[in-house]
Amino acid sequence: MMRELFNAVVDTDFGQFDLLWGDETDYLVGCPVDWDDGHVNGFVGAGNPHGLHLCMARPHGASPVVIELHAEEPAVPPPSFEDVVEVSIVIPPEARVTWFSWGGETSGELPTVPGGSYRVRVCCQGRDEAAGEVDIAEAVIDLYVIQLWLAPPAPENIVRIGTEDARRGMRDLARRQQQASLNSSVDDE
């Protein structure tokens, strides 16, 4: 059984879309702090205990986002979803789950999501085409489907990476992590 929690075209800047919960959400809007801790995929981060960060490929404009709550793990999406990544999150009991685009430009509250440990699968379609859009275009180019189901925490799983945009995100993240590691070792001396 699947319940659709959200289905809308989201206007955003800098490709930022966040799901947030808990008391710390105000300071997190527009500031992806610690999102990528422990991850290598470069576009979905769950390293912060107060939320999930998705970096869409489209720098500005509108992208469709669908959020689904499943009773059990759904089937892996077809290859038309070129990029598919899974991470784990924990939503506290009775937490209010909200979504935000960059800087809180657009936002809303999701229907009740029971507290618990969830697996999150983010399925992306059209990232390369969307990444090439420099103007705020009216056309819908990319699509993001976020699937949640109750599951124990597990390591990040990159199901597939098929776009150059996602590969570039992975390379950029690896460079940032390497630089942070170098800076940390210099600070320790």
Side-chain angles (χ1 to χ4, degrees), residues 10-26:
V10 176
D11 286 314
T12 189
D13 282 316
F14 306 105
Q16 186 171 331
F17 182 83
D18 300 321
L19 292 180
L20 303 173
W21 50 83
D23 297 331
E24 303 295 323
T25 58
D26 286 345

Side-chain angles (χ1 to χ4, degrees), residues 13-93:
D13 282 316
F14 306 105
Q16 186 171 331
F17 182 83
D18 300 321
L19 292 180
L20 303 173
W21 50 83
D23 297 331
E24 303 295 323
T25 58
D26 286 345
Y27 99 93
L28 292 172
V29 175
C31 180
V33 178
D34 306 329
W35 294 118
D36 52 19
D37 282 2
H39 297 293
V40 297
N41 73 75
F43 63 93
V44 180
N48 188 297
H50 301 289
L52 175 83
H53 176 71
L54 169 60
C55 185
M56 298 178 188
R58 190 175 194 161
H60 307 287
S63 300
V65 176
V66 178
I67 303 174
E68 304 170 341
L69 180 61
H70 292 261
E72 57 188 32
E73 180 178 353
V76 173
S80 60
F81 286 92
E82 304 102 335
D83 303 312
V84 180
V85 173
E86 295 177 359
V87 296
S88 292
I89 60 171
V90 176
I91 298 175

Side-chain angles (χ1 to χ4, degrees), residues 93-111:
E94 300 180 30
R96 185 181 70 139
V97 180
T98 53
W99 64 269
F100 293 88
S101 66
W102 179 82
E105 288 180 329
T106 55
S107 64
E109 189 169 334
L110 294 183

Side-chain angles (χ1 to χ4, degrees), residues 125-182:
Q125 199 172 63
R127 288 183 66 88
D128 281 344
E129 295 81 7
E133 276 297 311
V134 278
D135 295 327
I136 299 175
E138 296 294 322
V140 170
I141 300 170
D142 48 350
L143 167 65
Y144 301 87
V145 177
I146 302 170
Q147 302 172 320
L148 301 114
W149 65 93
L150 287 169
E156 168 186 52
N157 179 28
I158 298 174
V159 177
R160 81 174 69 100
I161 297 294
T163 63
E164 180 53 35
D165 184 71
R167 287 188 287 277
R168 182 175 38 256
M170 291 176 70
R171 289 189 303 269
D172 291 348
L173 176 58
R175 276 193 293 275
R176 286 194 313 271
Q177 290 171 336
Q178 181 180 26
Q179 186 61 48
S181 178
L182 291 172

